Amino acid sequence: MEAIDIRKKFLKFFEERGHTIVPSSSLIPDDPSVLLTTAGMQQFKKYYMGEADPYMTIHPLTAKPLGSKSAASAQKSFRTSDIDEVGDEGHLTFFEMLGNFSFGYKPGESSPKSGYFKKGAITYAFDFITKEMELSISYVTIFKGSDAVPKDEESRSVWNSLGVTDVREEGMEDVFWGPTGTSGPCGPTTEVYCKTVAGKDVEIWNIVFNEFFYPGSREELLSGSSGKKLESLKVAGVDTGMGFERLVMISQKKATIFDTDLFAPLLELLSSAVELRHKRIIVDHLRAMSFLIADGVRPSNKEAGYVLRRLMRRAFVYEHMYQIPPHVFDALVHDIVHEYGEFYPELLKHNDDIREEMKKEYDKFANTLKQGVKKLKEVKEDSITAESAFRLYESFGLPYEIIKELGGAKTASLTREAFDAEFKRHQEISRAGQEKKFGGHGLLLDTGELKAANEEELKKVTRLHTATHLLQAALRKVIGSEVHQDGSDITVERTRFDFTFPRKLTPEEIKQAENVVNEVIQKDMQMTHEEMSYEDALKSGALHFFKEKYPLRVSIYTVSDKKTGEVFSKEFCGGPHVTHTGEIGSFKIIKEEASSAGVRRIRAAVEDKK
Ligand code: SER
């Protein structure tokens, strides 16, 4: 059976059993404490916590309530922890996870729409694997128990009743899932293992029984030293995740995921001169890149953007190393976009962005790559230390993998741990530098645009921040709507606002803009905040900073008159802001000057009301 049909079969199986099929959420999660989406349950976190109701809450991706206590999806997922392993037989960065979920099961209820727990979840998994896919289960695992959570005897007896007798007991590390991020639902799991044609047992399905909430991270939970305790969730839920590529491998009777129809045709596009490990890396990385860019990630030196940059640059290194002609990567991306485009239409929609970002990043990197390779050749030491590797990273943007790859024997003793430690050491040094700048108090807030070291400074920069929104709206009223933000920087003393405008402002225009802002301050207009989809936000006419890339759900701040409802300013923004413009006090433009060609710069301050 082709992969595409297996995905459909899974969703149909659960749809026929009362589940609402939900699209994959973006790879950029709503939860800011998580870098990228790693599991299907993330979009359902609120349902497990009882903060969203399956029958009442509008689901952001379907624009209506789920209408069932059960849902299923094929979810785009990304695990950075596996980057170094890619190239072997089984690891990927991007992968798809098939999952069925149940929220708010109450004992005694029995229809699929009313939710299910251990018996229901295990029976579905058994039926899907053995009856629907006609595969056999090698063995399963259950939770062996800990100080806080008893052994999962119920799961054992359900498996036994279905004729599965090889039931193995494991501990917290392996069969207790979650939480993701800084806190969340978690619970014991039962895993399903199947045999590959090569006779190897692989885990294909993880069935989590979300019975608990943990007020800390998984690391804290496992270390047990934080003093934080598992709390019972009011209503128990189920979260399952099946590795799609692995299921396809078992079903198509292939020895590795790379031999399935998901990957084999892509690998064949690369010449036989390319080492197999490198072929797998290229294909994994280009696939992940396409999905990340389609979801709005852009290469950068930070967070998800850095992950993307590493993937792209590593693929480019092999392209360069094997002198792969450019049309080959083009063909790979073409096939990826079209192979997945039917199910994930965002790939087709952002096809041009994928190409463009790829070209831009290549152009940026080509020079670096040349210089870096030259530098790497010059390195005299027999072994490249973590420190010298970090210098290469800092000066040439060469990621760890690339230094390792290109440095060959010179990097034999360089490890990811040592490199990461060096990275951290430098981060700490630069953070210490920042702290010194801010009086040694540390930073209370640093959004890039706004910086504050203590509560008092936070209040001041918040006032300046709202004033900056008012300034932009005022400028658009006074000198015209061709004014667009080009950058801003807010310190406790002043706001600095850069905007596009072809000429110097006249003293009258400056005074007028200042007056408009002060009028809005006097009217004590309200600042309101809402979240909405990126499309809705654009439709609402909210101003957005074109240099910034926004996630699918965005945050919008609006200044409006409480009485008349008249909107004065509406912007894409992460906050923070005052709640009423009166809090700003009074506003004064200090200076207007050129910043660069076609861009003006205004410095302005706020003062307490006299
Ligand atoms: N959340 C679990 C996992 O990621 C099951 O979906 O494995």
Side-chain angles (χ1 to χ4, degrees):
M1 199 188 306
E2 287 183 21
I4 193 162
D5 296 323
I6 297 177
R7 197 194 283 119
K8 282 185 192 144
K9 199 178 184 67
F10 176 86
L11 295 175
K12 185 158 165 274
F13 177 88
F14 283 100
E15 192 169 25
E16 285 168 357
R17 288 161 181 76
H19 292 61
T20 297
I21 308 305
V22 172
S24 169
S25 63
S26 165
L27 281 166
I28 308 176
D30 278 340
D31 181 348
S33 67
V34 188
L35 190 62
L36 288 164
T37 300
T38 58
M41 62 78 70
Q42 272 162 260
Q43 65 163 310
F44 301 115
K45 224 167 159 176
K46 287 199 171 118
Y47 293 91
Y48 292 114
M49 305 285 299
E51 291 164 5
D53 182 311
Y55 292 102
M56 306 289 286
T57 310
I58 303 286
H59 187 278
L61 297 175
T62 56
K64 54 182 188 216
L66 291 175
S68 168
K69 284 191 187 173
S70 311
S73 70
Q75 172 69 46
K76 301 178 276 190
S77 310
F78 192 104
R79 296 205 173 159
T80 45
S81 53
D82 292 337
I83 285 186
D84 291 334
E85 260 75 44
V86 177
D88 68 3
E89 292 189 348
H91 286 89
L92 295 168
T93 54
F94 169 87
F95 64 101
E96 287 176 82
M97 198 185 261
L98 304 175
N100 56 294
F101 311 91
S102 170
F103 325 104
Y105 164 77
K106 294 203 186 69
E109 291 182 339
S110 65
S111 91
K113 278 200 194 307
S114 65
Y116 48 88
F117 201 47
K118 296 187 179 178
K119 182 160 185 273
I122 293 173
T123 310
Y124 284 146
F126 179 83
D127 285 351
F128 183 76
I129 295 291
T130 62
K131 297 181 185 156
E132 207 56 34
M133 297 299 296
E134 299 178 13
L135 300 170
S136 45
I137 292 173
S138 179
Y139 68 90
V140 299
T141 61
I142 58 158
F143 185 56
K144 72 175 178 196
S146 70
D147 291 347
V149 183
K151 184 195 278 203
D152 189 3
E153 288 294 0
E154 188 183 344
S155 291
R156 177 196 292 282
S157 76
V158 179
W159 283 118
N160 286 346
S161 74
L162 295 165
V164 178
T165 49
D166 192 348
V167 179
R168 306 184 187 180
E169 294 178 10
E170 304 277 359
M172 289 293 286
E173 280 280 351
D174 297 306
V175 295
F176 194 96
W177 200 84
T180 55
T182 45
S183 68
C186 54
T189 84
T190 177
E191 304 162 315
V192 179
Y193 283 76
C194 290
K195 262 197 195 340
T196 66
V197 269
K200 226 162 92 188
D201 285 315
V202 290
E203 180 205 332
I204 63 163
W205 207 338
N206 187 20
I207 299 164
V208 184
F209 303 115
N210 275 325
E211 295 176 75
F212 302 102
F213 171 79
Y214 187 70
S217 67
R218 177 162 177 85
E219 289 66 40
E220 288 175 286
L221 173 66
L222 290 182
S223 80
S225 59
S226 69
K228 294 178 181 170
K229 293 214 160 27
L230 287 169
E231 299 159 17
S232 286
L233 282 175
K234 272 195 218 85
V235 273
V238 172
D239 148 32
T240 90
M242 173 152 54
F244 176 57
E245 293 81 359
R246 290 184 184 182
L247 174 66
V248 174
M249 165 180 79
I250 303 282
S251 161
Q252 295 181 352
K253 312 237 173 312
K254 301 292 183 192
T256 78
I257 52 176
F258 293 102
D259 300 308
T260 64
D261 68 341
L262 290 169
F263 292 103
L266 297 173
L267 294 169
E268 273 167 25
L269 293 176
L270 291 160
S271 110
S272 56
V274 183
E275 213 181 281
L276 179 60
R277 196 174 78 84
H278 296 163
K279 279 188 187 175
R280 291 172 177 165
I281 295 173
I282 292 172
V283 168
D284 169 84
H285 286 14
L286 292 184
R287 191 172 82 131
M289 172 200 80
S290 305
F291 277 95
L292 287 170
I293 295 175
D295 275 353
V297 183
R298 293 294 177 264
S300 76
N301 285 336
K302 258 197 359 215
E303 298 167 358
Y306 183 51
V307 173
L308 172 60
R309 170 159 285 169
R310 278 163 62 185
L311 299 178
M312 294 173 85
R313 294 192 168 192
R314 196 174 180 195
F316 296 151
V317 166
Y318 294 126
E319 193 182 22
H320 174 91
M321 205 160 106
Y322 289 106
Q323 298 184 357
I324 300 171
H327 68 81
V328 176
F329 273 30
D330 279 346
L332 281 167
V333 172
H334 172 274
D335 287 4
I336 290 165
V337 166
H338 290 86
E339 179 185 333
Y340 290 96
E342 187 195 332
F343 194 77
Y344 300 105
E346 60 273 24
L347 287 174
L348 293 168
K349 189 168 159 215
H350 294 285
N351 191 12
D352 291 345
D353 296 326
I354 299 171
R355 310 284 173 165
E356 201 178 302
E357 290 302 327
M358 209 167 138
K359 179 163 181 342
K360 279 208 302 224
E361 186 63 14
Y362 185 85
D363 291 344
K364 265 199 202 121
F365 185 52
N367 211 10
T368 306
L369 180 61
K370 257 204 274 164
Q371 280 183 321
V373 170
K374 206 168 124 223
K375 241 328 165 280
L376 215 47
K377 285 200 184 117
E378 283 166 19
V379 180
K380 294 280 182 293
E381 308 133 275
D382 290 340
S383 66
I384 292 176
T385 62
E387 219 188 309
S388 54
F390 184 79
R391 273 201 303 275
L392 286 166
Y393 158 73
E394 245 193 348
S395 344
F396 302 103
L398 288 184
Y400 166 82
E401 303 80 12
I402 293 173
I403 297 173
K404 196 80 188 149
E405 201 69 60
L406 296 176
K410 288 180 183 171
T411 64
S413 58
L414 175 67
T415 64
R416 162 75 71 186
E417 287 71 32
F419 182 83
D420 284 348
E422 193 61 24
F423 198 101
K424 219 165 140 209
R425 203 170 70 82
H426 279 264
Q427 267 181 339
E428 273 156 20
I429 294 172
S430 79
R431 199 172 305 132
Q434 289 265 4
E435 277 170 14
K436 223 157 115 211
K437 227 162 96 194
F438 288 96
H441 301 303
L443 276 179
L444 195 63
L445 175 83
D446 181 0
T447 66
E449 183 189 15
L450 248 62
K451 293 185 186 63
N454 54 42
E455 285 294 336
E456 205 184 314
E457 290 191 7
L458 180 61
K459 282 201 189 110
K460 190 78 187 280
V461 296
T462 304
R463 286 161 60 199
L464 279 159
H465 189 201
T466 307
T468 311
H469 281 217
L470 300 185
L471 173 63
Q472 173 163 217
L475 287 168
R476 290 167 64 88
K477 274 204 175 26
V478 175
I479 54 174
S481 58
E482 67 265 42
V483 166
H484 288 287
Q485 176 171 356
D486 192 65
S488 68
D489 179 79
I490 298 170
T491 68
V492 69
E493 281 96 28
R494 51 103 185 113
T495 172
R496 195 184 74 201
F497 181 68
D498 292 350
F499 58 100
T500 50
F501 196 64
R503 61 164 170 84
K504 188 167 176 57
L505 270 62
T506 65
E508 293 72 38
E509 285 168 338
I510 293 173
K511 195 70 209 158
Q512 251 179 304
E514 191 181 281
N515 287 347
V516 172
V517 173
N518 280 315
E519 275 159 27
V520 173
I521 292 174
Q522 264 151 29
K523 282 192 189 157
D524 199 22
M525 287 194 182
Q526 62 180 0
M527 177 61 111
T528 49
H529 174 229
E530 60 199 312
E531 282 186 11
M532 56 180 85
S533 74
Y534 182 71
E535 273 81 22
D536 286 347
L538 283 184
K539 272 187 232 143
S540 82
L543 296 181
H544 66 300
F545 182 20
F546 65 90
K547 282 191 179 167
E548 192 98 54
K549 292 291 171 194
Y550 295 95
L552 289 176
R553 286 198 64 77
V554 295
S555 145
I556 302 293
Y557 278 88
T558 309
V559 176
S560 64
D561 192 308
K562 260 172 292 183
K563 283 180 233 121
T564 63
E566 176 211 346
V567 172
F568 179 74
S569 144
K570 198 181 192 82
E571 282 195 39
F572 281 58
C573 182
H577 283 284
V578 302
T579 55
H580 288 89
T581 56
E583 292 165 49
I584 297 173
S586 70
F587 175 80
K588 190 159 182 50
I589 293 180
I590 307 164
K591 193 170 184 183
E592 189 272 342
E593 60 188 339
S595 158
S596 60
V599 178
R600 308 297 303 175
R601 168 169 289 181
I602 282 182
R603 289 171 205 268
V606 298
E607 272 166 25
D608 296 347
K609 241 206 201 93
K610 303 232 169 61

